[in-house]
Coordinates of all heavy atoms in Angstrom, one line a residue:
F454 N 107.1 77.8 119.3 CA 107.6 77.2 120.5 C 108.9 76.6 120.3 O 109.6 76.8 119.3 CB 106.5 76.2 121.0 CG 105.2 76.9 121.3 CD1 104.0 76.4 120.7 CD2 105.1 78.0 122.2 CE1 102.8 77.0 121.0 CE2 103.9 78.6 122.5 CZ 102.8 78.1 121.8
L455 N 109.5 75.9 121.4 CA 110.9 75.6 121.4 C 111.3 74.8 120.1 O 112.3 75.2 119.5 CB 111.2 74.7 122.5 CG 112.6 74.3 122.7 CD1 113.5 75.5 123.0 CD2 112.8 73.3 123.8
L456 N 110.6 73.8 119.7 CA 111.1 72.9 118.6 C 111.1 73.7 117.3 O 112.0 73.6 116.4 CB 110.4 71.6 118.5 CG 110.6 70.7 119.7 CD1 109.7 69.5 119.6 CD2 112.1 70.3 119.9
H457 N 110.1 74.6 117.2 CA 110.0 75.4 116.0 C 111.1 76.4 115.9 O 111.6 76.7 114.8 CB 108.6 76.1 115.9 CG 108.3 76.9 114.8 ND1 107.2 77.7 114.6 CD2 109.1 77.1 113.6 CE1 107.2 78.4 113.5 NE2 108.3 78.1 112.8
S458 N 111.5 77.0 117.0 CA 112.5 78.0 117.1 C 113.9 77.4 116.7 O 114.7 78.1 116.2 CB 112.6 78.7 118.4 OG 113.0 77.8 119.5
F459 N 114.0 76.1 116.9 CA 115.2 75.4 116.5 C 115.2 75.2 114.9 O 116.2 75.2 114.2 CB 115.4 74.1 117.2 CG 116.3 74.2 118.4 CD1 115.7 74.6 119.6 CD2 117.6 73.9 118.4 CE1 116.5 74.8 120.8 CE2 118.4 74.0 119.5 CZ 117.8 74.5 120.7
L460 N 114.0 74.9 114.4 CA 113.8 74.6 113.0 C 114.0 75.8 112.1 O 114.5 75.7 110.9 CB 112.5 74.0 112.8 CG 112.1 72.6 113.3 CD1 110.7 72.3 113.2 CD2 113.0 71.6 112.5
S461 N 113.6 76.9 112.5 CA 113.6 78.2 111.6 C 115.0 78.8 111.5 O 115.5 79.2 112.5 CB 112.5 79.1 112.0 OG 112.5 80.2 111.2
P462 N 115.4 79.2 110.3 CA 116.6 80.0 110.2 C 116.5 81.5 110.7 O 117.4 82.1 110.9 CB 116.9 80.0 108.6 CG 115.6 79.6 108.0 CD 114.9 78.8 109.0
L463 N 115.2 81.9 110.9 CA 115.0 83.2 111.4 C 115.3 83.3 113.0 O 115.5 84.4 113.4 CB 113.5 83.7 111.2 CG 113.1 83.8 109.8 CD1 111.6 84.1 109.7 CD2 114.0 84.8 109.0
T464 N 115.3 82.2 113.7 CA 115.6 82.2 115.1 C 116.8 81.3 115.5 O 117.4 81.6 116.6 CB 114.4 81.7 115.8 OG1 113.8 80.5 115.2 CG2 113.3 82.7 115.9
N465 N 117.1 80.4 114.6 CA 118.3 79.5 114.9 C 119.5 80.0 114.3 O 119.7 79.7 113.1 CB 117.9 78.1 114.6 CG 119.0 77.1 115.0 OD1 120.2 77.5 115.4 ND2 118.7 75.8 115.0
H466 N 120.3 80.7 115.0 CA 121.7 81.2 114.5 C 122.8 80.4 115.3 O 123.9 81.0 115.3 CB 121.7 82.7 114.6 CG 120.6 83.4 114.1 ND1 120.3 83.4 112.8 CD2 119.6 84.2 114.7 CE1 119.1 84.2 112.6 NE2 118.8 84.6 113.7
R467 N 122.5 79.3 115.8 CA 123.5 78.6 116.5 C 124.7 78.2 115.6 O 124.5 77.9 114.4 CB 122.9 77.3 117.2 CG 121.8 77.7 118.2 CD 121.2 76.4 118.7 NE 122.1 75.7 119.7 CZ 122.0 75.7 120.9 NH1 121.1 76.4 121.6 NH2 122.8 75.0 121.7
T468 N 125.9 78.0 116.2 CA 127.0 77.6 115.5 C 127.5 76.2 115.9 O 128.5 75.7 115.4 CB 128.2 78.6 115.7 OG1 128.4 78.7 117.1 CG2 127.9 79.9 115.1
D469 N 126.7 75.5 116.7 CA 127.0 74.2 117.2 C 126.3 73.1 116.3 O 125.8 73.5 115.2 CB 126.7 74.0 118.6 CG 125.2 74.1 118.9 OD1 124.4 74.2 118.0 OD2 124.8 74.2 120.1
A470 N 126.3 71.9 116.7 CA 125.6 70.9 115.9 C 124.2 70.9 115.7 O 123.6 70.3 114.8 CB 126.0 69.5 116.6
Y471 N 123.5 71.9 116.4 CA 122.1 72.1 116.3 C 121.8 73.4 115.4 O 120.6 73.8 115.3 CB 121.4 72.2 117.6 CG 121.5 70.9 118.4 CD1 122.6 70.7 119.3 CD2 120.6 69.9 118.3 CE1 122.7 69.5 120.0 CE2 120.7 68.7 119.0 CZ 121.7 68.5 119.8 OH 121.8 67.4 120.5
G472 N 122.8 73.9 114.8 CA 122.6 75.1 114.0 C 122.4 74.9 112.5 O 121.9 73.8 112.1
A473 N 122.9 75.8 111.7 CA 122.8 75.7 110.3 C 123.3 74.3 109.7 O 124.3 73.8 110.1 CB 123.6 76.8 109.6
G474 N 122.5 73.8 108.8 CA 122.8 72.5 108.3 C 122.1 71.3 109.0 O 122.0 70.2 108.4
H475 N 121.7 71.6 110.3 CA 121.0 70.5 111.0 C 120.1 71.1 112.1 O 120.0 70.8 113.2 CB 122.1 69.6 111.7 CG 121.5 68.3 112.1 ND1 120.7 67.5 111.3 CD2 121.6 67.6 113.3 CE1 120.3 66.4 111.9 NE2 120.9 66.5 113.2
R476 N 119.3 72.1 111.6 CA 118.4 72.7 112.5 C 117.3 71.8 112.9 O 116.6 72.0 114.0 CB 117.8 74.0 111.8 CG 118.8 75.1 111.5 CD 118.0 76.4 111.0 NE 118.9 77.4 110.7 CZ 119.5 77.6 109.5 NH1 119.0 76.9 108.4 NH2 120.3 78.6 109.3
S477 N 117.0 70.8 112.2 CA 116.0 69.8 112.6 C 116.5 68.8 113.6 O 115.8 67.9 114.0 CB 115.4 69.0 111.4 OG 116.4 68.3 110.7
G478 N 117.8 68.9 114.0 CA 118.4 67.9 114.9 C 117.7 67.7 116.1 O 117.5 66.5 116.6
L479 N 117.3 68.7 116.9 CA 116.6 68.5 118.2 C 115.3 67.8 118.0 O 115.0 66.9 118.7 CB 116.5 69.8 118.9 CG 115.8 69.8 120.2 CD1 116.6 68.9 121.2 CD2 115.6 71.1 120.8
L480 N 114.5 68.3 117.0 CA 113.2 67.6 116.7 C 113.4 66.1 116.4 O 112.7 65.2 116.9 CB 112.5 68.3 115.6 CG 111.2 67.6 115.1 CD1 110.2 67.4 116.2 CD2 110.6 68.5 113.9
E481 N 114.3 65.9 115.5 CA 114.7 64.5 115.1 C 115.0 63.6 116.3 O 114.6 62.5 116.5 CB 115.7 64.4 114.1 CG 115.2 65.0 112.8 CD 116.3 64.9 111.6 OE1 117.2 64.1 111.8 OE2 116.2 65.7 110.7
E482 N 115.9 64.2 117.2 CA 116.2 63.4 118.4 C 115.0 63.1 119.4 O 114.9 62.1 119.9 CB 117.3 64.2 119.2 CG 118.6 64.2 118.5 CD 119.8 64.9 119.3 OE1 119.5 65.1 120.5 OE2 120.8 65.2 118.7
V483 N 114.1 64.2 119.5 CA 112.9 64.0 120.3 C 112.1 62.9 119.6 O 111.5 62.0 120.3 CB 112.1 65.3 120.4 CG1 110.7 65.1 120.9 CG2 112.9 66.3 121.2
V484 N 111.9 63.0 118.3 CA 111.1 61.9 117.6 C 111.6 60.5 117.8 O 110.9 59.6 118.2 CB 111.0 62.2 116.1 CG1 110.4 61.0 115.3 CG2 110.1 63.5 115.9
V485 N 112.9 60.3 117.7 CA 113.5 59.0 117.9 C 113.4 58.6 119.3 O 113.0 57.4 119.5 CB 115.0 59.1 117.5 CG1 115.8 57.8 117.9 CG2 115.3 59.3 116.0
A486 N 113.5 59.5 120.3 CA 113.4 59.2 121.7 C 111.9 58.8 122.0 O 111.7 57.8 122.7 CB 113.8 60.3 122.6
V487 N 111.0 59.5 121.5 CA 109.6 59.2 121.8 C 109.2 57.9 121.1 O 108.5 57.1 121.7 CB 108.7 60.4 121.4 CG1 107.2 60.1 121.5 CG2 109.0 61.6 122.3
R488 N 109.5 57.8 119.8 CA 109.2 56.6 119.1 C 109.8 55.3 119.8 O 109.2 54.3 119.8 CB 109.6 56.7 117.7 CG 109.3 55.6 116.7 CD 107.8 55.6 116.3 NE 107.1 54.7 117.3 CZ 105.7 54.6 117.2 NH1 105.0 55.4 116.4 NH2 105.1 53.9 118.1
G489 N 110.9 55.5 120.3 CA 111.5 54.3 121.0 C 111.0 54.1 122.3 O 111.3 53.0 122.9
T490 N 110.3 55.0 122.8 CA 109.7 54.8 124.2 C 108.3 54.3 124.2 O 107.9 53.4 125.0 CB 109.7 56.2 125.0 OG1 111.0 56.7 125.1 CG2 109.0 56.1 126.3
I491 N 107.5 54.7 123.3 CA 106.1 54.3 123.2 C 106.0 52.9 122.5 O 106.8 52.6 121.7 CB 105.2 55.3 122.6 CG1 105.5 55.6 121.1 CG2 105.2 56.7 123.4 CD1 104.6 56.6 120.4
P492 N 104.9 52.2 122.8 CA 104.7 50.9 122.1 C 104.6 51.1 120.6 O 104.2 52.1 120.0 CB 103.5 50.3 122.7 CG 103.3 51.0 124.0 CD 103.9 52.4 123.8
A493 N 105.0 50.0 119.8 CA 105.0 50.1 118.3 C 103.5 50.3 117.8 O 103.4 50.9 116.7 CB 105.5 48.8 117.8
H494 N 102.5 50.0 118.6 CA 101.2 50.1 118.0 C 100.6 51.5 118.2 O 99.5 51.8 117.7 CB 100.2 49.1 118.6 CG 99.9 49.3 120.1 ND1 100.8 48.8 121.1 CD2 99.0 50.0 120.8 CE1 100.3 49.1 122.3 NE2 99.2 49.9 122.1
V495 N 101.3 52.4 119.0 CA 100.8 53.7 119.3 C 101.3 54.7 118.3 O 102.5 54.8 118.0 CB 101.3 54.2 120.7 CG1 100.8 55.6 121.0 CG2 100.7 53.3 121.8
P496 N 100.3 55.4 117.6 CA 100.7 56.3 116.6 C 101.5 57.5 117.1 O 101.2 58.0 118.2 CB 99.4 56.8 115.9 CG 98.4 55.7 116.3 CD 98.9 55.2 117.7
L497 N 102.4 58.0 116.3 CA 103.1 59.3 116.7 C 102.9 60.3 115.6 O 103.1 60.0 114.4 CB 104.7 58.9 116.8 CG 105.5 60.2 117.1 CD1 105.2 60.8 118.4 CD2 107.0 59.7 117.1
L498 N 102.5 61.4 116.1 CA 102.1 62.6 115.2 C 103.0 63.7 115.5 O 103.5 63.9 116.6 CB 100.7 63.0 115.2 CG 99.5 62.0 114.8 CD1 99.4 60.8 115.9 CD2 98.2 62.7 114.7
V499 N 103.2 64.6 114.6 CA 104.0 65.9 114.8 C 103.2 67.1 114.2 O 102.8 67.0 113.0 CB 105.4 65.8 114.2 CG1 106.1 67.2 114.3 CG2 106.2 64.7 114.8
R500 N 103.0 68.0 114.9 CA 102.4 69.3 114.5 C 103.5 70.2 114.1 O 104.4 70.5 114.9 CB 101.4 70.0 115.4 CG 101.0 71.4 114.9 CD 99.8 71.9 115.7 NE 98.5 71.3 115.1 CZ 97.4 72.0 115.4 NH1 97.3 73.1 116.1 NH2 96.3 71.4 114.9
V501 N 103.4 70.8 112.8 CA 104.4 71.7 112.3 C 103.8 73.0 112.0 O 102.6 73.1 111.6 CB 105.2 71.1 111.1 CG1 105.9 69.8 111.5 CG2 104.3 70.8 109.9

Side-chain angles (χ1 to χ4, degrees):
F454 299 123
L455 180 67
L456 296 176
H457 183 187
S458 68
F459 269 82
L460 288 170
S461 178
L463 296 176
T464 46
N465 186 345
H466 308 296
R467 297 174 72 102
T468 58
D469 61 11
Y471 296 91
H475 198 43
R476 295 188 181 95
S477 63
L479 181 59
L480 173 58
E481 292 179 23
E482 289 181 16
V483 168
V484 166
V485 169
V487 171
R488 182 72 270 172
T490 298
I491 63 178
H494 68 272
V495 174
L497 178 59
L498 296 72
V499 175
R500 172 165 278 199
V501 298

